[in-house]
Amino acid sequence: MNVYSTKKEIIYHELKKEIQEGKYEFGEKLVISRLAKRFGTSEIPVREAINQLNSDNLIEFTPHVGAVVSTLSSKDIQEIFEVRIELEGLASRLAAENINEEIINKLRSIITASEDCLEKNDFEEIEKLNMKFHLTIYEASDNLLLIGMIRDLWNNTKRYPSLFSNNRGHAMHSIKEHKFIVEALEMKDPVLVENAMMKHKANAAKEVLRITQQDYYNNLDIVN
C-alpha cells in the first residue's frame, strides 16, 4: 500500500528507490518529459522530485545536460564503509549475546547454499544469500534502530558494481570468512564476533574500491 499522498512524493520515492538499487548508471540523464509521461503527470511534480533528489545528493545538475544520476567517488565509498564497519560490528556483537541454535543452523544452511551456488557459478544467488546471511545476524541484535541504519547504508551500496558478479575469488574468501563468523557466534564471544565482522567488512571495502577503480580506468581505455 502506497503511503505517499502527493504526485511529487510518489515520484520522489520511486526514483530514489531505483537509484539506490542501481537501476540507473552513474551520469545517466533523467529526462523530465519522459518521467512525466511515465508517471502520468505534468512536469512540475517531476521537477520538484528531482530537486529533492538533488538535496539528497542522488542526482546533480550538469551544464548543458540537466539532471544526471550522481556518481559515488572513492571517498564516498570509503566514508560509507567506515560507518558500515562500525555499525555492522556493533550489531554482530549484540547478536552474539542473543544467539541460539536455531539462528546458527540457519546461518550454516545459508553457507551451504552459497557453496552450492559457487559450484554452479551462480554469483547472483550468492549475492542474495550474502545479504540474507548478514541480515540474519543483525536482526539477532534486537536493535531496530541499528538494523534500520544498516539497511539504509546497504541501499547506497547497491549503486556500485556487485562484489560477487563473476568474482569467484572474492566469493570463496567471503564464504570462508562467514564460516569463521559463525564459529565465533557459536562460542558466544561478542568481542571475537565483532572483530571478525569488522575485518570481513573492511575486506569488502577494499574489494569494492578495487572494482570501482578498475571500472574507471577501463572506461578511460574505451574513451581513448
Side-chain angles (χ1 to χ4, degrees), residues 18-204:
E18 291 176 351
I19 292 171
Q20 289 181 329
E21 290 179 347
K23 293 184 179 179
Y24 290 90
E25 298 289 336
F26 291 156
E28 184 173 342
K29 182 178 180 180
L30 297 180
V31 181
I32 292 175
S33 58
R34 291 180 188 170
L35 290 172
K37 184 176 180 180
R38 172 189 164 188
F39 287 102
T41 69
S42 68
E43 294 185 3
I44 293 174
V46 176
R47 292 183 187 278
E48 292 174 343
I50 285 177
N51 284 333
Q52 189 168 348
L53 291 168
N54 180 46
S55 299
D56 294 339
N57 296 317
L58 290 174
I59 68 102
E60 56 194 16
F61 292 103
T62 303
H64 311 299
V65 177
V68 299
V69 176
S70 61
T71 61
L72 279 175
S73 67
S74 295
K75 187 174 186 299
D76 292 329
I77 293 170
Q78 184 176 343
E79 289 177 351
I80 289 171
F81 266 99
E82 284 174 350
V83 178
R84 282 189 59 187
I85 288 168
E86 295 296 329
L87 294 183
E88 294 181 44
L90 171 60
S92 301
R93 173 162 58 83
L94 295 175
E97 299 169 0
N98 301 322
I99 208 70
N100 57 47
E101 188 175 350
E102 181 182 354
I103 297 172
I104 292 293
N105 289 337
K106 183 177 180 180
L107 293 171
R108 290 203 179 281
S109 295
I110 294 171
I111 290 173
T112 299
S114 299
E115 290 177 321
D116 291 342
C117 289
L118 186 60
E119 289 296 319
K120 302 172 187 175
N121 290 325
D122 188 349
F123 298 107
E124 184 176 343
E125 185 62 23
I126 289 174
E127 185 164 12
K128 293 177 182 177
L129 289 167
N130 175 69
M131 181 174 288
K132 185 178 180 181
F133 176 86
H134 283 276
L135 289 179
T136 297
I137 294 173
Y138 304 152
E139 286 169 0
S141 72
D142 198 29
N143 187 315
L144 294 179
L145 176 60
L146 181 58
I147 296 167
M149 293 169 70
I150 290 171
R151 284 181 178 274
D152 287 343
L153 287 167
W154 270 52
N155 284 335
N156 269 310
T157 62
K158 293 177 183 177
R159 299 182 62 204
Y160 49 67
S162 168
L163 273 172
F164 296 95
S165 181
N166 297 315
N167 193 346
R168 187 177 182 83
H170 176 74
M172 290 177 63
H173 188 67
S174 178
I175 292 171
K176 181 179 179 181
E177 291 181 330
H178 284 184
K179 289 180 179 179
F180 182 78
I181 290 168
V182 172
E183 289 172 4
L185 284 166
E186 275 192 303
M187 295 168 62
K188 294 193 174 182
D189 186 333
V191 175
L192 182 61
V193 172
E194 181 177 29
N195 289 339
M197 183 61 77
M198 292 178 75
K199 182 179 179 181
H200 178 57
K201 303 316 297 184
N203 287 337

